[in-house]
Amino acid sequence: MGRVITEQMIEDYRQSMIDEEKSMATVQKYLHDLKVFQNYAGEEPVDKETMIRYKEFLRKSYLVTSINSMLAGVNGFLKFIGWYDCVVKTIKLQKGLFRKEDRELSREEYEKLLAVAKTAGKVRLWHILQVLGSTGIRVSELCFITVEAVRAGYADINMKGKNRRIVLPRKLIALLTTYIRENGIQKGSVFVTRGGKPIDRSNLHHEIRNLCEMAGVARSKGFPHNFRHLFACIYYEQEKNLANLADVLGHSNLNTTRIYVRCGWKKQVQILDEMDLVAA
């Protein structure tokens, strides 16, 4: 009898990821991707040939970046249970030179979103977007923006076994201090659900997309992580120090930070025109 994935194996894999302190978003994604593979394989035993066919199956419906992301979760599972001979290579992809214009959030669009959120009375969203935009933190790190952090002027981020301290801009401190007072928040995280749980990324994504429609900004730009990219680009334009930016963002690899500050096509054209190296 060939190798078959059992529910107990999946549960053990889930628990191992939690023990490794992977974020819940990562755990849920890897389990979802594993379920997609499990549905594809059906009753078929899992071996290298199955995985190769699965990779080709994904090619018909997904972009290369999505395929590699989906394979990461399955490969992680295969390594966890010791089926190393079934692991497949991801698809090689040349890194793009430019950010996609249809997903690049400009400073002007950011300010437009803030203006519309304020006018529409979306007070909490207005504050959250400014926290994300002015600090570069991830949505999963919002829970570290606490009453105590606002009073201290900095927040200590502790995620995935990594620790970093981020400074809060003085204007942000003033805004949050007023928000905390007006909402009677005594201690702990400033932004939580009614049940006291961390802000849900999918709900925030939905709110931002709706805000984009109201503000006349492309919905494709309405995802929370885009505010982190915006922060990174503006920080780098001002400081031109990739190492410092990597520290602020919590990146251990500078190559990851380079992706964040990659310029768009229009910006590249502007730079080349300003260099003026073509003789008339």
Side-chain angles (χ1 to χ4, degrees), residues 182-249:
E182 291 180 347
N183 287 275
I185 305 171
Q186 300 298 319
K187 61 180 180 178
S189 298
V190 176
F191 305 106
V192 293
T193 64
R194 291 180 180 178
K197 295 181 179 180
I199 297 295
D200 182 81
R201 183 186 320 206
S202 60
N203 288 341
L204 183 58
H205 189 174
H206 182 69
E207 283 190 71
I208 296 174
R209 284 207 161 186
N210 287 342
L211 183 63
C212 282
E213 288 191 349
M214 295 171 63
V217 175
R219 282 174 61 88
S220 59
K221 301 181 181 184
F223 55 96
H225 210 68
N226 224 0
F227 296 87
R228 182 168 161 87
H229 279 268
L230 176 67
F231 169 86
C233 289
I234 295 176
Y235 185 101
Y236 185 72
E237 284 177 7
Q238 182 165 322
E239 294 298 318
K240 292 293 189 293
N241 191 317
L242 200 64
N244 279 355
L245 177 58
D247 289 339
V248 172
L249 295 177

Side-chain angles (χ1 to χ4, degrees), residues 20-243:
E20 292 172 2
E21 299 183 7
K22 291 187 182 297
S23 70
M24 286 310 300
T26 299
V27 172
Q28 291 169 3
K29 183 189 183 307
Y30 277 19
L31 292 179
H32 174 267
D33 292 342
L34 180 57
K35 193 67 178 178
V36 172
F37 169 69
Q38 192 179 22
N39 291 336
Y40 166 83
E43 301 296 324
E44 184 180 355
V46 179
D47 56 24
K48 188 62 170 275
E49 290 185 3
T50 306
M51 285 297 297
I52 292 174
R53 285 197 299 272
Y54 178 60
K55 184 163 70 169
E56 292 305 312
F57 166 77
L58 293 177
R59 280 180 180 270
K60 299 175 183 178
S61 304
Y62 298 93
L63 297 173
V64 172
T65 51
S66 298
I67 294 172
N68 287 342
S69 176
M70 295 173 76
L71 289 176
V74 181
N75 279 338
F77 170 78
L78 295 174
K79 292 174 183 177
F80 168 73
I81 57 178
W83 297 353
Y84 289 93
D85 57 307
C86 298
V87 173
V88 292
K89 294 180 179 179
T90 53
I91 302 170
K92 290 185 178 181
L93 177 65
Q94 183 178 1
K95 294 181 179 179
L97 295 176
F98 313 107
R99 291 202 309 273
K100 294 182 178 179
E101 298 287 349
D102 64 339
R103 290 174 65 83
E104 182 182 354
L105 184 69
S106 69
R107 182 169 193 151
E108 292 71 26
E109 289 169 328
Y110 167 68
E111 291 173 351
K112 186 185 293 187
L113 290 174
L114 292 180
V116 172
K118 189 173 185 178
T119 302
K122 297 180 179 294
V123 180
R124 189 183 74 161
L125 181 60
W126 184 71
H127 283 85
I128 288 176
L129 295 187
Q130 295 201 73
V131 170
L132 297 178
S134 67
T135 64
I137 64 171
R138 305 173 179 90
V139 173
S140 58
E141 297 171 339
L142 266 176
C143 59
F144 295 100
I145 304 300
T146 62
V147 173
E148 296 77 14
V150 173
R151 289 172 181 165
Y154 61 84
D156 288 324
I157 309 293
N158 185 358
M159 291 286 289
K160 302 179 181 179
K162 299 178 183 177
N163 294 279
R164 77 182 192 281
R165 175 169 291 183
I166 61 163
V167 177
L168 304 179
R170 282 176 288 186
K171 282 188 176 181
L172 181 65
I173 293 172
L175 281 178
L176 294 181
T177 298
T178 301
Y179 180 82
I180 289 168
R181 183 181 66 251
E182 291 180 347
N183 287 275
I185 305 171
Q186 300 298 319
K187 61 180 180 178
S189 298
V190 176
F191 305 106
V192 293
T193 64
R194 291 180 180 178
K197 295 181 179 180
I199 297 295
D200 182 81
R201 183 186 320 206
S202 60
N203 288 341
L204 183 58
H205 189 174
H206 182 69
E207 283 190 71
I208 296 174
R209 284 207 161 186
N210 287 342
L211 183 63
C212 282
E213 288 191 349
M214 295 171 63
V217 175
R219 282 174 61 88
S220 59
K221 301 181 181 184
F223 55 96
H225 210 68
N226 224 0
F227 296 87
R228 182 168 161 87
H229 279 268
L230 176 67
F231 169 86
C233 289
I234 295 176
Y235 185 101
Y236 185 72
E237 284 177 7
Q238 182 165 322
E239 294 298 318
K240 292 293 189 293
N241 191 317
L242 200 64

